[in-house]
Amino acid sequence: MVYENPDGVMIGLEVHVQLNKANTKMFCSCTSDYTDSEANTCLCAGCLALPGTTPVLNEKSVDYAIRIGLALNAEIENETDFFMKSYFYPDLGNGYQVTQFDRPIVKNGSVVIEGEDGELKVRITRAHMEDDPGKMAHFGTIEKSTGSIIDFNRSGMPLVEIVTAPDMRSAKEARRFLDKLRSILEYLDVFDGTREGAMKADANISVNVFNGKRIEGTRVEVKNISSHKAVEKAINYEIMRQKDYLRKNKQLVQETRHYDEDRNVTISLRVKETADDYRYFPDFDLVPMIVGDRVEGIRAQMPELPDAKRERFVSQYGISDAHAKSLVTERAFADLFESVAAKVDQKSAASWVADVVKGELNYRDLPITAIKGDDIVTVIEMVTKKEISEESGVTVIRTLLDDGGKPADIVKAKGLAMVADDFIATAAKEAIAESPDAVADYKAGTEKALNFIVGKVMQKAKGKADARLAREMVLKELEKM
Ligand SMILES: [Zn+2]
């Protein structure tokens, strides 16, 4: 099936997910948690590919791949196997990468994202297991480098490569796909997305309609882009470059390019290899795997995923779809919401957690652990009981994040307690006496004039009055006139 594509841009992604929660590397017992270790210290003869070593498969990495496949609504291959993909590169000790070829463990899945014009189902062609090479660092830029150094700590890490069909039509859709995928993977607890290099993407980009005419699009692959923001920028650059070539009648070639984030350009690395160049060959150290019998056990233990949770939040708590969508992007956030919603009004819980708490955490770039659910509950209760205004509630949340402490102490220290009703009644009378023009306008039928008077009451209460009550009291006074 070919998707209709009016803009003429087709984007497919290959996403490499490092299973850094699999405890060990893919074929040896070295730790998968090497991030904070010194270079070249998490190694053994196996992951250095020294002669005479044989691989022992980490079962957990297989289970994680199955878990990912199920989350992507895909088919799991009953019998699967490993191949050697040969290429010469200094960070690859074996001279080949262990990967899968014609029988990937996962195939034919899909992920639904918000497209440019409504829901877009991005097809997942396949997802296969492979091991990561070591990590090279180049002195200077990749084109003009005078030398390189290698750290083998990463060598042999289990990866799952997820390959999409070219169903995305803009850089923004590609970014949304990656955000959604990351969210799903975090729910699955198969990787820690905050680790450097935990998720990397290659983007295939081709422009196949230009100036309203269908052309033979040339697929260009931009390799190893590490952040979602960089993927979006790299794709936008590449679309612009390809259209510029077409405009000038220059020949586009099928090639692999590198994205230089500092300069925001892509540069040619090599003309694209074909499968033949890799000389795929069955890995004679690894027997075929029968995985079918594991699938049902794993399926039974699958967590609730973001889409299902979003639907449940709307039906169970009666909150808006926009709030539900915002709350489920991170599992920890969804959990926080549910713990708060168990104790206070559920709609209030949704708007405080999704709008206020999430916004303030993001603004400060703080993790969710920076705030306690019980403190949020206390703040919501104080607002509901009209002990403090909504505005003051936000101040309390901000103070909790900036300085810590207890909500009640913050209210006291900052003098946020709501003023008494009789204060508002007096303030309403004063505000009316001070605003003869507004009163006359209101009496003449200008509803808006009321806001001016209520605003004056709020000023007198220094924001520590309930705006609805202030309005009611102003109206009551006006009726007497
Ligand atoms: Zn090892």
Side-chain angles (χ1 to χ4, degrees):
M1 179 164 92
V2 178
Y3 280 35
E4 241 345 280
N5 205 347
D7 296 334
V9 175
M10 291 171 83
I11 300 159
L13 294 170
E14 291 169 21
V15 188
H16 303 254
V17 179
Q18 197 186 56
L19 306 176
N20 53 24
K21 287 195 173 178
N23 297 340
T24 70
K25 292 184 180 180
M26 194 150 152
F27 297 114
C28 65
S29 56
C30 294
T31 179
S32 63
D33 186 12
Y34 62 86
T35 322
D36 299 325
S37 305
E38 227 178 288
N40 294 311
T41 55
C42 302
L43 298 173
C44 69
C47 54
L48 272 175
L50 296 184
T53 54
T54 46
V56 179
L57 180 64
N58 172 357
E59 264 185 294
K60 207 166 192 176
S61 62
V62 180
D63 289 350
Y64 281 8
I66 295 172
R67 210 185 281 183
I68 291 172
L70 293 175
L72 300 179
N73 310 304
E75 295 161 26
I76 310 296
E77 187 73 76
N78 180 44
E79 187 180 330
T80 182
D81 46 17
F82 289 106
F83 272 66
M84 302 184 289
K85 179 183 181 183
S86 298
Y87 58 96
F88 183 73
Y89 216 61
D91 55 11
L92 197 63
N94 266 329
Y96 62 86
Q97 181 180 28
V98 181
T99 183
Q100 300 194 280
F101 187 50
D102 53 350
R103 289 196 294 179
I105 187 162
V106 172
K107 61 183 183 187
N108 299 333
S110 63
V111 172
V112 176
I113 63 160
E114 207 175 305
E116 301 277 6
D117 46 11
E119 267 189 5
L120 176 70
K121 189 180 204 174
V122 178
R123 291 166 296 164
I124 305 293
T125 316
R126 60 185 277 158
H128 57 259
M129 302 180 66
E130 57 187 29
D131 66 350
D132 216 355
K135 187 181 169 190
M136 288 184 76
H138 308 283
F139 302 128
T141 62
I142 197 166
E143 314 146 274
K144 294 179 187 159
S145 180
T146 53
S148 305
I149 44 175
I150 310 176
D151 173 8
F152 279 100
N153 281 355
R154 195 177 71 185
S155 176
M157 281 294 287
L159 297 180
V160 167
E161 180 175 331
I162 299 163
V163 183
T164 79
D167 292 341
M168 287 152 281
R169 301 154 298 179
S170 69
K172 194 177 273 170
E173 286 183 348
R175 167 124 189 221
R176 285 183 190 152
F177 172 83
L178 290 171
D179 288 344
K180 180 82 177 269
L181 183 62
R182 172 186 291 259
S183 168
I184 293 170
L185 294 167
E186 276 171 350
Y187 268 70
L188 295 176
D189 206 26
V190 295
F191 90 136
D192 175 357
T194 63
R195 294 284 169 79
E196 194 215 331
M199 198 167 156
K200 276 183 299 190
D202 302 343
N204 291 304
I205 305 137
S206 63
V207 176
N208 59 351
V209 175
F210 188 68
N211 278 344
K213 269 189 291 189
R214 189 161 283 277
I215 51 164
E216 196 55 53
T218 301
R219 207 178 74 152
V220 172
E221 183 177 29
V222 184
K223 274 239 161 313
N224 280 329
I225 327 172
S226 51
S227 79
H228 297 191
K229 200 171 85 189
V231 169
E232 191 174 355
K233 282 161 73 184
I235 291 173
N236 275 331
Y237 174 84
E238 192 52 32
I239 293 171
M240 188 187 74
R241 185 188 72 85
Q242 292 187 26
K243 285 190 172 169
D244 189 51
Y245 266 56
L246 293 167
R247 201 172 293 120
K248 293 175 180 156
N249 263 327
K250 288 206 274 186
Q251 186 64 43
L252 280 162
V253 288
Q254 183 168 324
E255 61 181 343
T256 299
R257 297 178 73 87
H258 164 77
Y259 176 60
D260 183 331
E261 199 168 355
D262 295 335
R263 292 188 293 155
N264 189 31
V265 293
T266 63
I267 44 182
S268 182
L269 279 183
R270 54 184 181 264
V271 173
K272 178 81 185 165
E273 296 95 341
T274 62
D276 286 347
D277 294 330
Y278 292 125
R279 286 170 286 128
Y280 279 98
F281 204 82
D283 191 321
F284 39 75
D285 283 331
L286 291 157
V287 293
M289 294 188 286
I290 312 287
V291 296
D293 55 344
R294 306 177 82 88
V295 177
E296 287 319 307
I298 294 170
R299 194 192 300 277
Q301 287 174 4
M302 286 289 280
E304 183 181 39
L305 293 171
D307 285 348
K309 207 181 270 288
R310 177 174 163 184
E311 268 176 39
R312 176 170 67 79
F313 278 9
V314 171
S315 64
Q316 181 178 343
Y317 298 112
I319 63 175
S320 70
D321 187 54
H323 273 155
K325 185 179 158 204
S326 161
L327 290 166
V328 303
T329 49
E330 276 174 64
R331 190 175 177 174
F333 240 98
D335 291 347
L336 178 71
F337 161 69
E338 291 206 280
S339 75
V340 174
K343 293 177 183 155
V344 295
D345 171 64
Q346 296 163 346
K347 283 185 183 144
S348 304
S351 73
W352 278 91
V353 175
D355 301 336
V356 181
V357 175
K358 194 172 181 184
E360 299 294 335
L361 284 172
N362 285 347
Y363 177 70
R364 288 165 179 75
D365 203 14
L366 285 171
I368 192 164
T369 45
I371 194 155
K372 291 192 197 81
D374 283 348
D375 287 341
I376 302 171
V377 169
T378 307
V379 172
I380 299 174
E381 280 172 349
M382 289 194 293
V383 172
T384 315
K385 289 186 201 149
K386 298 200 176 2
E387 290 168 13
I388 58 171
S389 67
E390 279 196 20
E391 201 185 355
S392 299
V394 176
T395 306
V396 176
I397 299 280
R398 286 180 181 154
T399 312
L400 282 168
L401 294 175
D402 291 335
D403 310 318
K406 289 242 160 294
D409 298 340
I410 295 167
V411 168
K412 205 182 255 175
K414 293 199 177 261
L416 298 173
M418 198 93 97
V419 294
D421 290 5
D422 49 351
F423 178 95
I424 303 175
T426 313
K429 278 182 200 152
E430 284 173 14
I432 288 168
E434 288 162 17
S435 325
D437 292 350
V439 173
D441 287 350
Y442 178 74
K443 293 274 178 195
T446 311
E447 285 278 326
K448 271 192 301 189
L450 186 66
N451 295 339
F452 176 79
I453 306 169
V454 175
K456 250 192 141 95
V457 176
M458 295 304 286
Q459 249 173 30
K460 286 173 189 289
K462 299 196 173 67
K464 290 177 282 182
D466 176 26
R468 205 174 301 155
L469 185 65
R471 193 182 173 87
E472 272 169 30
M473 290 209 176
V474 168
L475 277 172
K476 213 162 92 185
E477 288 302 317
L478 285 171
E479 266 166 32
K480 290 187 201 158
M481 292 174 76

